[in-house]
Amino acid sequence: MNENEIVAKLRARFPRIGDDAAVVDRQVITTDMLIEDVDFTRAVALPRIARKALAVNVSDIAAMGARPAYAVVAVGLPEWADIDALDALIEGFAEAAKELAIEIVGGDLSRAEKLILSIAAVGTIETRPLLRSGARPADRVYVSRPLGGSAAGLTVLQRGALPAAYAAREAAESAIRRHLDPEPEVALGLALAAIPEVTACIDISDGLSTDLHHLCDASQCGAEIERARIPVFPGLQSLGVNVADAVLHGGEEYALLFTSSLREAELSARVKRPVYAIGRITSGREVTLDGKPLEPRGWDHFARH
Amino acid sequence: MNENEIVAKLRARFPRIGDDAAVVDRQVITTDMLIEDVDFTRAVALPRIARKALAVNVSDIAAMGARPAYAVVAVGLPEWADIDALDALIEGFAEAAKELAIEIVGGDLSRAEKLILSIAAVGTIETRPLLRSGARPADRVYVSRPLGGSAAGLTVLQRGALPAAYAAREAAESAIRRHLDPEPEVALGLALAAIPEVTACIDISDGLSTDLHHLCDASQCGAEIERARIPVFPGLQSLGVNVADAVLHGGEEYALLFTSSLREAELSARVKRPVYAIGRITSGREVTLDGKPLEPRGWDHFARH
């Protein structure tokens, strides 16, 4: 296949692609790159990888309290990616863009040794941006949903076999979906941005411990959280993983971690869904779990090499 | 080094980096990815590679007639890239952003096997966007400056030795700069966008022949251009390259290719610099050079594999 054929294919699916740059007029921009054998393997179907690449960018927009608007997609295609693979990627991006309510308006294609999906996404701020830096002492620390599923799903995938027991099997499949098919919290982010008492927000991409440190660093504060209050992904206990590690340090959750002076019942009522208070912001600079220091042991692309 | 150290370094140079997404409110977005051993080699200094990655994105904005505003940078770092390499990249991006008058507002870092620089850039439209699709029969076809230097510079680099004669040496060095240090035509793009008689525009990234086909395809027209009217990069004849191939098909020029009903003298006066009429738009669909079909023989990432 040559570039013209590829461009024709892209245009058929994304009619706004075509000029050197695309015309937009929006307000929040982010970028995330996924690389084969670093962020995913070829064992995962290409449309699913495409969806994940888009979803993690949309999650960044959600964490800002903004509405997804536009994205541009740069793809590095390895030799093994034939025309069917390209079709699968394009179809995956098109479906995911529809589901995630974001429009792909431009892109770039290169040859590469590994599959690379690099996306930049733009979102519209409807009320105000949610920053990491607004947390204040005595604010409550919240997470948007039960944690640990993504890390457990990755472990199950790496094992290569599902548990035999029915209930564990269900939990395993659901954990794998949490890992492979992230659900960005767009509606929640927009709702939180509209509530003045919400003070800071981040999405949990590196793991609760690491992202809580990020939020506290940006806000120049500390936090004390309680293990017993952190909601745990349903069935996590049946999957033979270290539950505490998965919940505290597991990355790629794409839940929101945020702070507010409002109580849990009040905030849940305002956003019309459960949110989970797991602790408090403090005026010191320490981050603690049940009174002991909580080290940032989540994902760090560079420390492991 | 770990990610925190890297982030701290990035923040020191790019103070707006820090949240999941950056707050902007602009109007044109583009993306281009450069990959080691595909788009550049390790023989080129890292700051120069960083500048080029940013410049090719800025050139896309220039081709739209917009003003560069913001960029996000996703970097895949291979094992060989140590802390000094990262410093060189960061410094290169910071210097280039200043020179190219664009602000880097966000980014992403991953481990990779090869160095990957994937950039998305946003620009502001001040008057109207220049599209590829507006060319009309009888419009003149223009290029913004002499062509062929970039392809010749690449050939000289690949030879690994400069010519001995002084004049050829000067020309060789200047061609290498044209190849390694693209000069996006931002001021010209903005000026052209403000002139209603300018009908279409594209930057020459794949080569004149290929990009003229792109422009004609988008405008549903043809073009007839004259070899003798195409300005040739100074000293190109002394470099032992095929001059016609370099001028007609050489990629990575980042000159502008555009169309207008205005004559060369009038248009040059309006933009206060020389621009070069090389032919006419026709109502047919053929692209010809001196009456014979001009095939798109410029760069195609995929046809060569």
Side-chain angles (χ1 to χ4, degrees):
Chain A
M1 63 188 151
N2 69 25
E3 193 162 312
N4 281 340
E5 291 164 32
I6 294 170
V7 169
K9 270 172 183 293
L10 288 170
R11 283 196 187 154
R13 292 301 271 150
F14 308 112
R16 295 200 40 174
I17 292 182
D19 277 287
D20 293 296
V23 180
V24 299
D25 59 344
R26 304 293 176 177
Q27 291 169 289
V28 156
I29 182 165
T30 183
T31 188
D32 269 295
M33 178 157 66
L34 300 193
I35 301 174
E36 182 185 344
D37 294 335
V38 177
D39 301 294
F40 62 86
T41 70
R42 283 174 63 184
V44 178
L46 289 170
R48 217 163 179 178
I49 298 169
R51 185 197 173 280
K52 183 165 180 175
L54 198 58
V56 303
N57 280 278
V58 168
S59 180
D60 281 333
I61 292 174
M64 302 293 292
R67 187 181 293 284
Y70 300 96
V72 288
V73 178
V75 175
L77 270 190
E79 291 288 339
W80 61 259
D82 58 8
I83 193 82
D84 292 337
L86 185 65
D87 281 339
L89 272 179
I90 291 175
E91 193 58 29
F93 275 120
E95 289 296 315
K98 204 165 147 192
E99 180 213 329
L100 297 165
I102 191 163
E103 188 181 5
I104 295 173
V105 296
D108 184 38
L109 263 176
S110 304
R111 273 292 174 203
E113 288 182 22
K114 302 276 182 174
L115 181 62
I116 306 163
L117 303 180
S118 182
I119 295 182
V122 174
T124 312
I125 293 165
E126 301 200 335
T127 50
R128 60 169 177 139
L130 290 174
L131 306 179
R132 298 178 180 182
S133 57
R136 288 169 307 197
D139 279 351
R140 287 164 178 83
V141 177
Y142 285 91
V143 295
S144 63
R145 62 188 175 205
L147 301 180
S150 180
L154 177 58
T155 301
V156 172
L157 275 175
Q158 286 168 340
R159 273 186 208 141
L162 289 178
Y166 181 75
R169 197 175 183 95
E170 289 267 286
E173 282 174 353
S174 147
I176 289 171
R177 279 196 300 277
R178 169 73 26 113
H179 181 72
L180 293 179
D181 308 324
E183 297 289 343
E185 298 265 34
V186 173
L188 180 62
L190 286 165
L192 294 175
I195 298 171
E197 293 88 352
V198 173
T199 50
C201 187
I202 188 172
D203 69 335
I204 302 180
S205 53
D206 296 336
L208 173 61
S209 62
T210 297
D211 288 315
L212 182 54
H213 275 272
H214 289 154
L215 187 148
C216 287
D217 287 346
S219 295
Q220 299 188 276
C221 63
E224 44 191 35
I225 63 173
E226 294 171 53
R227 174 67 186 82
R229 299 196 61 138
I230 305 170
V232 176
F233 190 79
L236 193 63
Q237 294 83 351
S238 68
L239 297 178
V241 302
N242 182 321
V243 172
D245 269 6
V247 168
L248 294 172
H249 310 298
E252 301 198 280
E253 283 287 339
Y254 304 106
L256 295 185
L257 170 66
F258 52 100
T259 58
S260 174
S261 57
L262 297 176
R263 288 166 192 271
E264 184 180 289
E266 166 77 11
L267 190 49
S268 294
R270 293 243 210 137
V271 299
K272 300 186 181 64
R273 54 167 275 187
V275 291
Y276 306 87
I278 62 169
R280 293 271 193 176
I281 294 295
T282 61
S283 56
R285 291 302 304 273
E286 254 200 337
V287 175
T288 63
L289 176 78
D290 297 335
K292 290 180 213 125
L294 178 65
E295 300 300 325
R297 293 207 287 114
W299 177 250
D300 182 326
H301 264 295
F302 293 91
R304 302 193 179 186
H305 290 264
Chain B
M1 63 188 152
N2 69 24
E3 192 162 312
N4 281 341
E5 292 164 33
I6 293 170
V7 169
K9 271 173 183 291
L10 288 170
R11 284 197 186 154
R13 291 301 272 149
F14 308 112
R16 294 198 43 172
I17 292 182
D19 277 287
D20 295 296
V23 181
V24 299
D25 58 344
R26 303 296 176 175
Q27 293 172 287
V28 156
I29 181 165
T30 182
T31 188
D32 269 294
M33 179 157 64
L34 300 193
I35 302 173
E36 183 185 344
D37 294 335
V38 177
D39 300 294
F40 61 86
T41 71
R42 283 173 62 183
V44 179
L46 288 170
R48 218 165 179 177
I49 297 168
R51 185 197 173 280
K52 183 164 179 174
L54 198 58
V56 303
N57 280 277
V58 168
S59 180
D60 282 333
I61 292 174
M64 302 294 291
R67 187 180 294 282
Y70 300 97
V72 288
V73 178
V75 175
L77 269 190
E79 291 289 340
W80 61 258
D82 57 10
I83 194 83
D84 292 337
L86 186 65
D87 280 339
L89 271 179
I90 291 174
E91 193 58 30
F93 275 120
E95 288 296 314
K98 203 164 148 193
E99 180 214 329
L100 297 165
I102 190 162
E103 189 181 5
I104 295 173
V105 297
D108 183 39
L109 264 177
S110 304
R111 272 291 173 205
E113 289 183 22
K114 301 277 183 173
L115 181 62
I116 305 163
L117 303 179
S118 182
I119 295 181
V122 174
T124 312
I125 293 166
E126 301 199 337
T127 51
R128 60 169 176 139
L130 290 174
L131 306 179
R132 297 178 180 182
S133 56
R136 288 169 307 198
D139 279 350
R140 285 163 179 85
V141 177
Y142 285 91
V143 294
S144 63
R145 62 188 175 205
L147 301 180
S150 180
L154 177 58
T155 301
V156 171
L157 276 175
Q158 286 169 339
R159 272 187 209 140
L162 290 177
Y166 180 75
R169 198 174 183 94
E170 289 268 284
E173 282 174 353
S174 148
I176 288 171
R177 280 197 300 277
R178 170 70 27 111
H179 181 72
L180 293 180
D181 308 324
E183 297 290 344
E185 298 266 35
V186 173
L188 179 62
L190 286 164
L192 294 174
I195 298 171
E197 294 89 351
V198 173
T199 49
C201 186
I202 188 172
D203 70 334
I204 300 180
S205 52
D206 296 335
L208 173 61
S209 61
T210 296
D211 288 314
L212 182 55
H213 273 273
H214 289 154
L215 187 149
C216 287
D217 286 348
S219 295
Q220 299 188 278
C221 63
E224 45 191 34
I225 63 173
E226 294 170 54
R227 174 68 187 81
R229 300 196 61 139
I230 305 171
V232 176
F233 190 79
L236 194 62
Q237 293 83 352
S238 68
L239 297 178
V241 302
N242 182 322
V243 173
D245 269 4
V247 168
L248 294 172
H249 310 297
E252 301 197 281
E253 282 287 340
Y254 304 107
L256 296 184
L257 170 66
F258 52 100
T259 57
S260 174
S261 58
L262 297 177
R263 289 166 193 271
E264 185 180 288
E266 166 79 11
L267 190 49
S268 294
R270 294 243 210 137
V271 297
K272 301 186 180 67
R273 55 168 273 187
V275 291
Y276 304 87
I278 63 170
R280 294 271 193 175
I281 294 295
T282 60
S283 57
R285 290 302 303 272
E286 254 199 337
V287 174
T288 63
L289 176 78
D290 297 335
K292 288 180 213 126
L294 177 66
E295 300 299 327
R297 292 207 286 115
W299 177 251
D300 182 325
H301 265 295
F302 293 90
R304 302 193 178 187
H305 291 261

